Amino acid sequence: MKIGILKETQKGEKRVSISPGIAKKLTDKGFELIVEDDAGAYSSFKNSDYREAGAKVQKRDVVFKDSQILIKINPFNEEDLKLVNKDHVLISHLYHKSKPELIQKIAAKGASAFSMDAIPRISRAQDMDVLSSQSNLAGYKSVILGAYEMKKIFPLMMTAAGTIKPARVLIYGVGVAGLQAIATAKRLGAMVKATDIRLETKEQVESLGAKFIMVEGANGESESGYAKEASEDYIQRQKEAVNKSLYKADLVITTAGIPGKKSPILITEEQVLNMKNGAVIIDLAAAQGGNCEISMLNKTVTRNGVKVIGTSIAPESVSTNASELYAKNMYNFIKHLTKDTELKWDTEEQITDETLIVHNGIIRK
């Protein structure tokens, strides 16, 4: 079976879905790999690295023409779909619940498509969970980005000229990204508080040395392990509970997302206007609408001295590590889907069933 590795074209994207190390593992298992020219360049992977791993390097149109499986990270776009045919199997993030038009276009091509963002949160799928592996890096990088953008340092510092108080950091959302953000901010010496709709995250927050902000009525874990969508009543109570800390914060990091849906608004423009001058908000949920009302994807918006940075590219900014982790997830997913280098199409199995969004032009999810 021939697997095509496509170069990412989304603005700001620097990752690649398969690293040379994983390419070697796949070719050793008998797969034929065709990698688009310079697909790994922004992750410090050279064409020669892929060739040494046993892959071929070709132009984009040849990758589409000669491959059965086509792999990338971001959703296939209009230009991609022009080259897709009914024999192709696409694997990428699809965000099928929020991008129904894309799914319909893939189905119209008669192709099949698996969505990596639909990997179920079960123990058997942990080594395929790209959302977790990438979010871990995003949480780390968001703190580093915040440190760069702030006009203050993180730790307590005692000098002959006086004492510098530690920075105050507030984290919304205590998933993988939030926990890594807490740990990183604490290591840098900040005073950290966090809030989440899921009460069971309180112990995790406190184990990292941060303070958990309790919100009355919080109990929002879904069966999948992700946070459920909060009610309007809860959102109002959260604002009241968190506002005191929000208005004192030097850095705020928001990470809350609901799979397949628009990100919940956790910080309104009115709240931003009440924050301290010089504060920074890093909104990691900007790609799905943002947790801050005034966030704009890949842009910095300033209101009343508060800098709001809407981003989804934190993993891309450490693209070498991000690509290596994503590639390992993808390798495990491909192993799961195939036997003797051929697709099994076992739709009775949970991981396959939940990730197979379109099969031979028929929309399943």
Side-chain angles (χ1 to χ4, degrees):
M1 179 177 290
K2 295 182 179 180
I3 300 176
I5 312 303
L6 297 169
K7 185 176 182 179
E8 301 296 323
T9 56
Q10 181 170 300
K11 182 179 179 181
E13 181 62 81
K14 296 181 179 180
R15 295 172 295 173
V16 63
S17 59
I18 296 292
S19 64
I22 295 301
K24 179 68 165 60
K25 286 189 173 185
L26 287 169
T27 56
D28 285 347
K29 288 184 72 68
F31 292 98
E32 295 183 56
L33 261 64
I34 308 172
V35 180
E36 183 177 349
D37 185 38
D38 284 337
Y42 290 120
S43 294
S44 301
F45 304 139
K46 299 180 292 185
N47 288 338
S48 58
D49 296 331
Y50 287 102
R51 292 191 181 100
E52 289 173 8
K56 296 178 181 178
V57 177
Q58 299 284 3
K59 296 297 183 183
R60 189 174 186 81
D61 59 338
V62 177
V63 178
F64 277 91
K65 179 177 178 293
D66 291 350
S67 303
Q68 179 182 354
I69 296 178
L70 294 167
I71 296 177
K72 61 183 299 191
I73 296 173
N74 295 292
F76 285 76
N77 57 35
E78 294 286 350
E79 292 303 310
D80 296 329
L81 292 178
K82 290 178 181 177
L83 298 172
V84 168
N85 62 51
K86 65 180 179 62
D87 296 321
H88 281 138
V89 177
L90 315 181
I91 306 179
S92 74
H93 286 78
L94 293 178
Y95 306 116
H96 61 288
K97 292 182 180 179
S98 58
K99 294 182 180 292
E101 300 87 358
L102 170 62
I103 304 307
Q104 290 167 4
K105 290 176 181 177
I106 292 173
K109 288 285 185 174
S112 298
F114 290 91
S115 186
M116 293 302 291
D117 58 286
I119 295 283
R121 182 160 282 189
I122 58 177
S123 58
R124 290 190 297 111
Q126 285 182 344
D127 60 3
M128 312 172 204
D129 188 354
V130 295
L131 295 182
S132 292
S133 71
Q134 302 301 289
S135 292
N136 197 29
L137 293 171
Y140 165 82
K141 192 63 179 184
S142 65
V143 176
I144 304 304
L145 176 60
Y148 176 79
E149 295 290 345
M150 286 167 55
K151 295 180 174 64
K152 299 179 65 175
I153 64 172
F154 275 75
L156 169 73
M157 188 174 291
M158 301 179 71
T159 75
T163 299
I164 299 174
K165 295 181 179 180
R168 295 176 182 268
V169 177
L170 175 61
I171 312 292
Y172 282 82
V174 189
V176 175
L179 287 170
Q180 185 58 247
I182 292 168
T184 304
K186 286 295 294 182
R187 284 196 294 268
L188 290 173
M191 296 174 60
V192 184
K193 293 184 179 181
T195 184
D196 195 288
I197 192 173
R198 297 163 295 181
L199 278 178
E200 64 272 16
T201 61
K202 179 177 184 293
E203 184 177 346
Q204 295 172 309
V205 169
E206 293 174 345
S207 71
L208 293 172
K211 181 178 179 181
F212 187 79
I213 301 174
M214 292 288 295
V215 181
E216 183 182 348
N219 187 19
E221 183 175 8
S222 69
E223 293 180 1
S224 66
Y226 293 97
K228 292 190 295 189
E229 189 170 7
S231 66
E232 289 297 324
D233 179 59
Y234 173 83
I235 291 172
Q236 182 57 42
R237 289 198 307 273
Q238 184 185 52
K239 288 178 183 177
E240 294 169 359
V242 176
N243 273 349
K244 183 177 180 181
S245 298
L246 176 64
Y247 298 157
K248 291 182 178 180
D250 299 297
L251 173 63
V252 178
I253 297 172
T254 66
T255 72
I258 303 168
K261 295 186 178 181
K262 184 181 182 299
S263 302
I265 297 296
L266 304 178
I267 303 174
T268 64
E269 183 172 7
E270 180 183 1
Q271 288 175 295
V272 173
L273 295 176
N274 282 297
M275 291 175 66
K276 64 193 294 184
N277 185 45
V280 175
I281 298 174
I282 307 294
D283 189 346
L284 290 180
Q288 296 299 105
N291 294 144
C292 180
E293 188 175 25
I294 62 174
S295 292
M296 298 180 68
L297 180 59
N298 297 329
K299 291 187 179 180
T300 298
V301 178
T302 302
R303 290 282 193 282
N304 197 33
V306 178
K307 189 180 293 186
V308 182
I309 301 173
T311 178
S312 64
I313 63 169
E316 289 84 329
S317 63
V318 284
S319 58
T320 299
N321 296 131
S323 296
E324 289 170 340
L325 292 179
Y326 194 100
K328 289 177 183 177
N329 294 144
M330 184 64 74
Y331 173 72
N332 291 322
F333 186 58
I334 292 171
K335 280 202 307 178
H336 173 78
L337 293 178
T338 59
K339 181 179 181 179
D340 299 328
T341 74
E342 294 298 325
L343 287 163
K344 293 185 293 187
W345 299 112
D346 183 6
T347 56
E348 297 298 316
E349 190 279 323
Q350 183 180 0
I351 299 172
T352 303
D353 175 56
E354 294 191 22
T355 55
L356 181 56
I357 310 304
V358 183
H359 191 200
N360 294 332
I362 303 299
I363 298 174
R364 303 180 70 250
K365 303 290 181 181

